Amino acid sequence: MNRARSDLSPELRYAQRALARTNHQRMRLFLPIIFLVHLAHVPIFLYPAIEEGWPQPGSWRYWIVLGHLVGCLISGVLWILVRMAGYRKAMSLSFLLALAYLLLGSCIALADQLVTTAITPYIIACIGIGLGLLLSPRITLALYTAALLFFWWSVGEVQTTESLALTARVNALTITALGWILGVTLRKYRISEAIQQRTIALQKIELRIAVDRLQETVASRERLFSIIAHDLRGPIGTSRDMLQVVTDEWSSWSEEDKLQAVRRQSVALGRSFDLLEQLLQWASRRQGALPFQPREVNLAELYLETEASLHEMARRKNVTIHQTIESGCSVRADRSMLQTIIRNLLSNAIKFSPEGGEVRMEAARMAEGIRVAIKDDGVGMDSSTVARIAEGRAEPTIGSAGEKGVGMGLLIVQDFLHSHGSNLEIHSSPAGSRFSFTLPD
């Protein structure tokens, strides 16, 4: 059964669950009503007989009253089972309900043959099951066929008039076919409806995801263009104007002025290049052009490479960079992304450290993985600034020595850490800030 169910398509599995839920809801709703209908029939048929004496065993009223009492028992027990089992057992309970009521309807209709040719209980059972329960056509075909054969054979034993027995049989055959066809038709309609609802729901989810991605792309592009327009265009334009001045007045400048001008332009162009590199990394990651390729990375080796690229920046502010990394400490990460993360955090720490300050990188084994932290002894950040960083909002920043930035570094750090399944934790006070994250070893 489970293997056959696993071979079904996702749409049909969803439809089967929907049918089970529908059967469960219908049984919870209608079984109490059926119980009350059976219970009401008992005094209706019993009261006239009480005036004449209790129904004699084997009499018409006796079988009718007994049949409805059995109906009360069946509907009551099944309702309790439905309430206890939940919808996952609904199809099995639906089968038991169909079997019980086809048999009960046949028996009460046979009892009616003692006084009438009508087969109303059998009609109600066949049509009610076809309309009310959504069972497999093969199962209902077997149940309806068994009920018809039972009634076909038994009516000849009860109905002594051959022509009346033949009429009851033909009516039973017609009602059986009609009930089965109604059940098959409604089940197919419900399956089609369930599949359509699932398709619409999936399309809504896909549309919502596409809209979210589109909004994120638009926001990213707007942010990118804003940074280019305000923070990248300005320094490049200033460098262009400065180079024009240098070209026009170079010969009249002293050697010291020339050296200072070249240094200022070198610093300005360095900042512009760093910003451009960060923008390209961030844009590539957003567009999926920067693949995630995790492998084992030695943190001590990565620190030495990264610290060397920041040596000049730290020297200008007389900031000392230390490391406390446990021996043999390695993590599983994308090496390029991790280097960018550490470089941006160290660069950020240097930027906000005072003249002669100290920056430290730490790495230690913890129960959940390798804990990496970068600390500085700068002025720290207020709670609103920490909240903006946590929300991923890039805002212009100014370092302790007037260094300008746009906040892209921490935005890239958070984005790359999310790719590793990690998050950036920030603890800041007037004595400095601590940025940390955890990666698997």
Side-chain angles (χ1 to χ4, degrees):
M1 177 73 72
N2 291 335
R3 183 177 179 181
R5 187 173 297 175
S6 64
D7 292 337
L8 296 175
S9 65
E11 291 81 6
L12 286 179
R13 287 200 297 271
Y14 176 84
Q16 283 191 344
R17 290 194 295 270
L19 296 183
R21 289 190 180 92
T22 300
N23 280 345
H24 182 257
Q25 293 169 356
R26 289 181 178 180
M27 286 190 292
R28 287 190 61 172
L29 175 64
F30 290 113
L31 280 173
I33 298 175
I34 295 172
F35 174 85
L36 294 175
V37 170
H38 282 303
L39 190 62
H41 276 75
V42 173
I44 290 175
F45 285 97
L46 192 60
Y47 178 74
I50 292 177
E51 296 181 345
E52 304 170 359
W54 287 96
Q56 295 298 317
S59 67
W60 167 69
R61 291 186 188 277
Y62 174 83
W63 290 117
I64 295 297
V65 171
L66 181 62
H68 284 294
L69 288 175
V70 171
C72 287
L73 179 63
I74 292 172
S75 58
V77 170
L78 283 176
W79 183 74
I80 294 173
L81 292 176
V82 168
R83 295 276 298 185
M84 294 174 57
Y87 86 92
R88 296 186 183 278
K89 298 293 183 181
M91 300 309 285
S92 300
L93 294 175
S94 299
F95 170 78
L96 291 177
L97 178 61
L99 176 63
Y101 269 90
L102 283 173
L103 180 60
L104 182 62
S106 299
C107 291
I108 297 178
L110 289 171
D112 278 343
Q113 295 301 303
L114 297 173
V115 295
T116 181
T117 59
I119 57 171
T120 304
Y122 185 82
I123 295 174
I124 293 174
C126 289
I127 300 300
I129 291 169
L131 294 176
L133 296 178
L134 303 170
L135 292 169
S136 167
R138 288 180 293 180
I139 293 176
T140 52
L141 180 61
L143 291 175
Y144 275 100
T145 302
L148 176 63
L149 292 176
F150 172 74
F151 182 84
W152 191 284
W153 175 80
S154 299
V155 73
E157 301 295 323
V158 178
Q159 183 58 261
T160 56
T161 304
E162 183 63 28
S163 59
L164 296 179
L166 178 61
T167 300
R169 286 168 177 163
V170 172
N171 290 339
L173 175 62
T174 303
I175 292 302
T176 301
L178 180 61
W180 183 76
I181 291 172
L182 282 174
V184 172
T185 303
L186 289 176
R187 186 175 186 273
K188 287 184 176 180
Y189 170 76
R190 286 292 298 165
I191 289 176
S192 176
E193 184 182 43
I195 292 175
Q196 186 178 18
Q197 289 175 348
R198 179 181 184 272
T199 302
I200 293 174
L202 290 176
Q203 289 176 345
K204 287 182 177 179
I205 293 173
E206 292 174 356
L207 180 60
R208 191 179 301 114
I209 292 173
V211 170
D212 291 342
R213 286 178 177 173
L214 180 60
Q215 290 176 342
E216 183 179 353
T217 300
V218 171
S220 298
R221 289 184 178 179
E222 289 179 350
R223 181 182 295 170
L224 184 63
F225 290 147
S226 176
I227 293 170
I228 291 174
H230 295 89
D231 298 279
L232 194 58
R233 181 185 177 190
I236 292 177
T238 302
S239 296
R240 182 198 61 186
D241 296 339
M242 185 62 189
L243 288 174
Q244 184 63 45
V245 172
V246 169
T247 302
D248 295 339
E249 302 179 8
W250 181 262
S251 59
S252 62
W253 284 6
S254 65
E255 290 300 321
E256 181 64 24
D257 291 338
K258 292 177 181 178
L259 183 59
Q260 290 296 329
V262 171
R263 285 176 177 173
R264 285 195 297 270
Q265 290 309 302
S266 176
V267 171
L269 289 174
R271 291 173 183 168
S272 298
F273 178 80
D274 290 341
L275 175 57
L276 180 60
E277 187 177 29
Q278 290 178 349
L279 289 173
L280 291 175
Q281 287 179 334
W282 180 70
S284 297
R285 180 61 187 160
R286 288 288 179 174
Q287 295 177 1
L290 196 61
F292 180 64
Q293 299 175 332
R295 60 189 178 94
E296 187 174 346
V297 180
N298 185 283
L299 285 177
E301 295 177 0
L302 189 66
Y303 164 77
L304 291 175
E305 294 179 17
T306 309
E307 190 271 340
S309 66
L310 298 171
H311 181 74
E312 181 60 25
M313 179 182 180
R315 187 193 64 79
R316 287 198 301 267
K317 293 186 69 173
N318 195 26
V319 172
T320 305
I321 307 177
H322 299 287
Q323 61 90 7
T324 307
I325 300 175
E326 289 187 10
S327 177
C329 206
S330 297
V331 296
R332 183 164 182 79
D334 184 295
R335 196 178 195 282
S336 177
M337 289 188 184
L338 183 57
Q339 187 167 32
T340 300
I341 291 169
I342 294 176
R343 182 173 62 247
N344 282 339
L345 290 177
L346 287 174
S347 173
N348 193 68
I350 295 170
K351 176 180 175 181
F352 288 97
S353 291
E355 186 77 20
E358 183 178 305
V359 171
R360 180 175 295 276
M361 174 176 167
E362 300 173 348
R365 289 183 177 86
M366 308 293 286
E368 62 273 18
I370 303 297
R371 187 75 167 176
V372 181
I374 284 91
K375 300 191 296 183
D376 63 62
D377 55 2
V379 295
M381 298 175 288
D382 56 29
S383 58
S384 61
T385 302
V386 173
R388 286 196 297 269
I389 295 173
E391 292 170 1
R393 287 188 285 168
E395 295 189 0
T397 58
I398 300 177
S400 58
E403 305 99 321
K404 293 183 179 180
V406 294
M408 282 298 298
L410 291 179
L411 192 64
I412 294 172
V413 167
Q414 287 180 311
D415 197 17
F416 284 6
L417 283 176
H418 290 162
S419 299
H420 288 79
S422 184
N423 290 298
L424 182 64
E425 297 181 15
I426 305 173
H427 301 278
S428 188
S429 69
S433 299
R434 184 176 187 269
F435 297 83
S436 61
F437 56 91
T438 304
L439 293 175
D441 52 3

